[in-house]
Amino acid sequence: MSKKKLKVLLLSLLPLFLLGFLALRAFENSAAYYYTISEARAKDVSEQKLRIKGQLVEDSVTYNAGMPLLQFSLTDGQSHLRASYQGVLPDNFHHSEEVIMEGTFDSSGEFQVSKLMLQCPSKYEGEE
Amino acid sequence: MAYLGIILLYLACGSTILAIITGLLAIREKNGSKGALTARWSTLSTLAISLATLGLIVAFLSNDFAVAYVARHSARNLPLIYKVSALWAGQSGSLLLWLLVISLLTLGVQRDKESHRVGLGIVIDLVRLFFLLLLLFVTPPFELLADPPYDGSGLNPMLQSLGMVIHPPLLFVGFSGFLVPFALALTGLITRDDQAVWQERAVPWIRLSWLFLTAGIVTGGHWAYTELGWGGYWAWDPVENASLFPWLTSTALLHLAILPKEYRFKRIWSYGLIVLTYLLTIFATFLTRSGVLDSVHAFAGGVLGQIFLLVLVLLFVFCLALGWSRRKLLRLTDTQAGQGLSAAGTNILISSVLLLMLCAGVLFGTMFPLISRFFGAREVVLDASFFNQLSVPLFLAILFFMSAAPVLQDPMSIVRLLKRLWLPVLLASGVGAATANGAFALAAFGFGTHLPGLLVPSSTREWGAVLAHLGVLIMLVGITGSSLYVDDVFVSVEPGDTVVFGDYVLDYDGLSARYGSDRYTIGTTLAISKDSRERGTLRSEKTFWQGRNQPSTQVGIFSTLKEDIYLNLVGWENPAAQLHLQRFALVGWIWVGSWIVYLGMLVILCAQARQVRLWPKKTG
């Protein structure tokens, strides 16, 4: 009886081990660390993939549709961060209150965005 | 109109409370007169809810901007169809629609007095009461503005799309439908009913809800594919994942349902999966409403998310305790259980475990920002590559067991089939990149094993199942192709230029403009030809709205079964225009496959309709 129970236990642990293995394997290179703009400026985080949230600084946006290359600054109220994104200007870019970006710092200290997220305008407004 | 709506919601709330009270009394009595009374109260509240929803629709259609919700989501010049769909563009309207869907879906249950006497109606009425309380006191849809504006603020252009009309209601029907199996499971355990009976009754509901949930997810993917900035048809966004969780568990549930009731693990697994599926639909709502995770589709946070979280935790504890206290009912004695493990049973059990692993893995990845924050470390977000690496092996394993299903009943036939299949498998393995080999080979294997069932099915139900499986395999081909074979170029063109892209030649003639009363549109139409024969046109345009600094871009998609050409008009500087061209291989297979899945499930539902009704009428 106890042998049978042990077997059942081992068998039910197998999927967990497998899942753990898969998750560990997948974890590499897919983690992005949350930093505020001030933190990112203060520390040396050149190698890591970061996720940074901030408000768009008005008049900081330049866009070259031919490349295409989008450059802008984000602020968290204290410090600014210049970022550049090689991609198409999203429709709701100027409109969005908050910009979330993922990427890394390049050698010149500019933030190279690999993924740009804007809060979808379908935003179900929170009611008080 | 607004006051009438509020009164109707109060009326619905009152009659639902009365239905619950009389329902509780009806459980005790013998003759069933209170059961009939309960049925009447319950039906009355559905009537009131329907009229209230109709009231809000009328408010939208008549531009009644005194209603705050209408003023926020509509405008005078909004096309008629979007005025109706604006009903679910916001939080309170979505809840109202969801409540309506629950009420209408369960109308048959509510009108049956027996259902109240066994407590089923009471569980459903409790859920409806929860929604009504939210609509009355947390997010009232009929809130009035003291100073109504002349015009509403309008519906965001991104939501003025067919996807917005179709996708949310389909999901709501899918989510709502799982309430009935959940209610059946709870009442079945509480009243110590014959477990096999309620589990049998849950089956049609599971199938119907699964069909709608699947359609909801696929139409959502299609919408995201045609909309810029949403990352394609599937981006592992938290909100997208949220709808996947209940889909994975209900897929396991769906297959468990076909096993005979003597199957040893059926009862406990059914109970667990039904509860899990329903709780995950609540969890999905929590994720989308709480704003705890970043999403491109985020619906900003509010108190609603917390309420749903609280309900979720309470229900989870309750279901666990109920299952534990009734564990004897969920276990089959050796005399009740049939012969140990069958080939189909083992296959389904393994697949269910794999589906649960997938669900747990994706859940872990989605919640990882919160998990990492909870453990004091810096918040860490996992991107799409995590989900792809985790899910692709699991999906392929699940699809392998699915493909093997038809040949597993007879152990020898797998050998015969492999002999027949070595050539297509070999050919498929030779096509394309290394990662695709497995997927294409698997699809070929699955097509082969399912072919006999397609041509000479043993029953209508089996034919439906085979169709659904084939649809999934076709989707597999589409998903593999469109993830791995992608081309992407940016070009700058002047009128008269031609662009060669893949096998296609595109002619650029210049931009054209169109003016409306409150907007103007700049667009371009490219003639697309292949082998010097014109195949069609591709049009992409940007619309600029008066008073908004946000343009809306329409992409052009030229679709064939082999590939999609995706055109985005990026910008222009006279005389040049910048175009973004993308090619995705085999995308069309995803949508074709999904229709075959729906068809298969419809066949199963029709086959079952002859045997069981969604709510079988009892005599007496």
Side-chain angles (χ1 to χ4, degrees):
Chain A
M1 192 60 194
S2 67
K3 220 177 199 177
K4 195 181 160 196
K5 269 193 181 151
L6 191 74
K7 238 189 212 166
V8 170
L9 190 74
L10 281 179
L11 212 67
S12 53
L13 280 179
L14 186 72
L16 281 179
F17 279 129
L18 255 172
L19 191 62
F21 168 74
L22 280 174
L24 264 180
R25 208 191 55 143
F27 199 82
E28 276 174 64
N29 305 325
S30 14
Y33 297 80
Y34 243 114
Y35 274 76
T36 66
I37 292 173
S38 313
E39 278 178 320
R41 298 221 64 132
K43 268 193 213 157
D44 177 37
V45 281
S46 53
E47 303 271 291
Q48 269 174 346
K49 185 148 83 170
L50 308 179
R51 178 176 278 214
I52 292 173
K53 226 187 243 188
Q55 252 105 38
L56 200 60
V57 179
E58 269 183 60
D59 308 326
S60 72
V61 184
T62 60
Y63 178 56
N64 180 342
M67 303 268 278
L69 179 71
L70 173 66
Q71 288 177 303
F72 55 92
S73 295
L74 291 190
T75 177
D76 61 353
Q78 294 161 0
S79 35
H80 288 225
L81 180 67
R82 190 79 187 150
S84 83
Y85 172 62
Q86 294 197 345
V88 180
L89 175 80
D91 281 343
N92 48 352
F93 189 70
H94 290 276
H95 209 62
S96 67
E97 293 147 20
E98 196 163 58
V99 176
I100 302 166
M101 55 186 188
E102 254 176 51
T104 49
F105 281 101
D106 66 6
S107 50
S108 68
E110 197 176 47
F111 194 73
Q112 295 293 334
V113 182
S114 57
K115 186 178 166 195
L116 200 57
M117 285 169 83
L118 307 157
Q119 294 279 288
C120 169
S122 75
K123 195 152 158 163
Y124 286 39
E125 53 272 46
E127 274 141 89
E128 316 290 299
Chain B
M1 187 53 80
Y3 290 110
L4 194 64
I6 295 170
I7 293 168
L8 282 166
L9 285 182
Y10 271 107
L11 178 69
C13 191
S15 48
T16 308
I17 292 173
L18 281 171
I20 293 169
I21 294 171
T22 52
L24 286 171
L25 294 173
I27 292 176
R28 291 292 168 91
E29 60 157 15
K30 295 271 185 297
N31 57 17
S33 65
K34 288 231 171 47
L37 189 63
T38 313
R40 246 169 267 147
W41 283 122
S42 196
T43 314
L44 179 66
S45 88
T46 296
L47 189 69
I49 291 164
S50 312
L51 288 175
T53 315
L54 199 67
L56 193 55
I57 294 175
V58 169
F60 268 108
L61 293 182
S62 61
N63 299 319
D64 186 354
F65 298 122
V67 180
Y69 188 76
V70 177
R72 264 202 307 267
H73 298 288
S74 184
R76 286 183 191 275
N77 63 357
L78 195 66
L80 186 73
I81 184 166
Y82 300 130
K83 276 186 181 165
V84 176
S85 71
L87 176 70
W88 51 86
Q91 181 163 279
S92 40
S94 302
L95 281 186
L96 184 60
L97 176 73
W98 194 351
L99 174 64
L100 178 73
V101 169
I102 291 178
S103 302
L104 292 180
L105 262 183
T106 58
L107 197 62
V109 182
Q110 291 164 36
R111 291 183 54 195
D112 186 288
K113 60 186 181 193
E114 288 303 317
S115 76
H116 293 281
R117 290 183 65 196
V118 297
L120 185 65
I122 300 172
V123 177
I124 291 167
D125 279 335
L126 278 172
V127 172
R128 294 202 299 155
L129 182 62
F130 169 66
F131 274 89
L132 280 165
L133 291 176
L134 287 179
L135 285 171
L136 282 173
F137 304 111
V138 183
T139 62
F142 291 105
E143 206 181 3
L144 288 174
L145 290 174
D147 186 17
Y150 169 72
D151 202 353
S153 46
L155 188 66
N156 193 290
M158 266 182 159
L159 297 188
Q160 296 185 29
S161 121
L162 201 60
M164 180 59 188
V165 180
I166 300 168
H167 162 68
L170 284 175
L171 267 191
F172 285 138
V173 175
F175 281 6
S176 310
F178 287 116
L179 171 62
V180 180
F182 179 70
L184 280 166
L186 288 194
T187 51
L189 277 191
I190 292 172
T191 59
R192 298 171 189 278
D193 201 3
D194 182 356
Q195 299 303 303
V197 171
W198 72 256
Q199 296 204 338
E200 204 51 47
R201 255 186 208 167
V203 174
W205 286 99
I206 294 166
R207 288 179 179 157
L208 190 74
S209 316
W210 185 90
L211 175 63
F212 277 93
L213 184 58
T214 309
I217 293 173
V218 174
T219 50
H222 190 266
W223 183 20
Y225 175 66
T226 56
E227 203 78 48
L228 270 183
W230 284 356
Y233 57 80
W234 195 264
W236 296 109
D237 187 272
V239 169
E240 294 167 359
N241 296 351
S243 62
L244 187 69
F245 304 138
W247 186 85
L248 291 170
T249 52
S250 61
T251 304
L253 192 56
L254 200 67
H255 291 88
L256 210 66
I258 62 167
L259 294 176
K261 62 176 188 284
E262 296 82 22
Y263 185 67
R264 190 177 279 275
F265 300 111
K266 187 173 176 179
R267 285 187 182 177
I268 179 114
W269 274 81
S270 295
Y271 177 72
L273 284 172
I274 285 174
V275 165
L276 204 58
T277 302
Y278 191 64
L279 292 184
L280 284 170
T281 64
I282 298 176
F283 182 70
T285 314
F286 158 71
L287 265 192
T288 47
R289 304 290 154 152
S290 65
V292 292
L293 299 168
D294 298 328
S295 157
V296 274
H297 315 289
F299 317 111
V303 68
L304 202 72
Q306 293 153 27
I307 296 175
F308 269 87
L309 185 64
L310 182 74
V311 169
L312 181 70
V313 172
L314 290 178
L315 273 181
F316 181 69
V317 172
F318 176 76
C319 294
L320 216 60
L322 182 69
W324 181 253
S325 70
R326 301 283 197 268
R327 61 187 179 279
K328 285 212 178 80
L329 287 175
L330 292 174
R331 205 179 287 151
L332 286 179
T333 58
D334 286 336
T335 46
Q336 282 172 311
Q339 81 292 4
L341 299 169
S342 60
T346 312
N347 190 14
I348 286 171
L349 204 62
I350 293 173
S351 309
S352 300
V353 171
L354 287 169
L355 282 164
L356 282 177
M357 282 167 69
L358 192 53
C359 185
V362 177
L363 188 66
F364 172 78
T366 309
M367 300 308 285
F368 199 75
L370 294 184
I371 297 170
S372 58
R373 202 161 38 175
F374 182 78
F375 284 106
R378 183 172 290 281
E379 188 169 331
V380 177
V381 187
L382 299 174
D383 63 16
S385 84
F386 172 83
F387 294 102
N388 286 331
Q389 287 181 63
L390 180 88
S391 66
V392 167
L394 286 172
F395 264 123
L396 290 182
I398 292 164
L399 290 172
F400 171 76
F401 283 100
M402 182 194 94
S403 303
V407 289
L408 277 187
Q409 280 127 4
D410 170 9
M412 270 320 284
S413 54
I414 195 163
V415 180
R416 285 202 298 276
L417 240 128
L418 277 176
K419 271 186 196 156
R420 212 177 305 160
L421 272 181
W422 69 269
L423 191 63
V425 170
L426 202 71
L427 281 178
S429 318
V431 179
T435 330
N437 287 357
F440 287 133
L442 189 58
F445 170 56
F447 284 128
T449 55
H450 282 83
L451 210 57
L454 181 72
L455 300 178
V456 271
S458 63
S459 67
T460 320
R461 200 202 75 192
E462 194 208 312
W463 194 63
V466 166
L467 272 181
H469 278 187
L470 285 173
V472 171
L473 289 170
I474 292 171
M475 290 177 81
L476 167 73
V477 172
I479 291 167
T480 310
S482 58
S483 326
L484 296 173
Y485 302 98
V486 182
D487 289 325
D488 190 328
V489 294
F490 284 95
V491 284
S492 197
V493 285
E494 289 181 20
D497 282 355
T498 57
V499 182
V500 179
F501 186 55
D503 302 338
Y504 296 95
V505 177
L506 302 142
D507 298 312
Y508 175 72
D509 271 349
L511 298 170
S512 60
R514 225 175 40 233
Y515 298 91
S517 58
D518 60 337
R519 75 194 82 168
Y520 67 96
T521 302
I522 309 276
T524 181
T525 307
L526 303 185
I528 182 164
S529 50
K530 187 182 175 185
D531 306 329
S532 45
R533 256 199 18 237
E534 187 163 331
R535 301 298 167 116
T537 56
L538 260 176
R539 180 167 179 81
S540 172
E541 55 188 32
K542 273 190 195 314
T543 303
F544 298 85
W545 305 73
Q546 194 181 28
R548 280 178 191 264
N549 59 358
Q550 174 184 339
S552 65
T553 304
Q554 289 291 317
V555 297
I557 299 174
F558 175 78
S559 213
T560 65
L561 269 184
K562 191 178 159 232
E563 62 210 341
D564 275 19
I565 304 291
Y566 198 101
L567 169 72
N568 174 15
L569 175 61
V570 177
W572 52 84
E573 270 164 82
N574 231 351
Q578 287 81 39
L579 308 176
H580 184 198
L581 282 164
Q582 283 167 288
R583 185 186 76 97
F584 302 103
L586 304 170
V587 185
W589 288 51
I590 302 176
W591 320 127
V592 171
S594 71
W595 280 103
I596 296 174
V597 173
Y598 308 153
L599 183 69
M601 191 39 108
L602 279 174
V603 169
I604 295 173
L605 282 167
C606 290
Q608 124 203 311
R610 273 181 264 140
Q611 295 150 17
V612 257
R613 309 258 309 264
L614 285 179
W615 184 254
K617 270 258 178 281
K618 273 191 183 170
T619 47

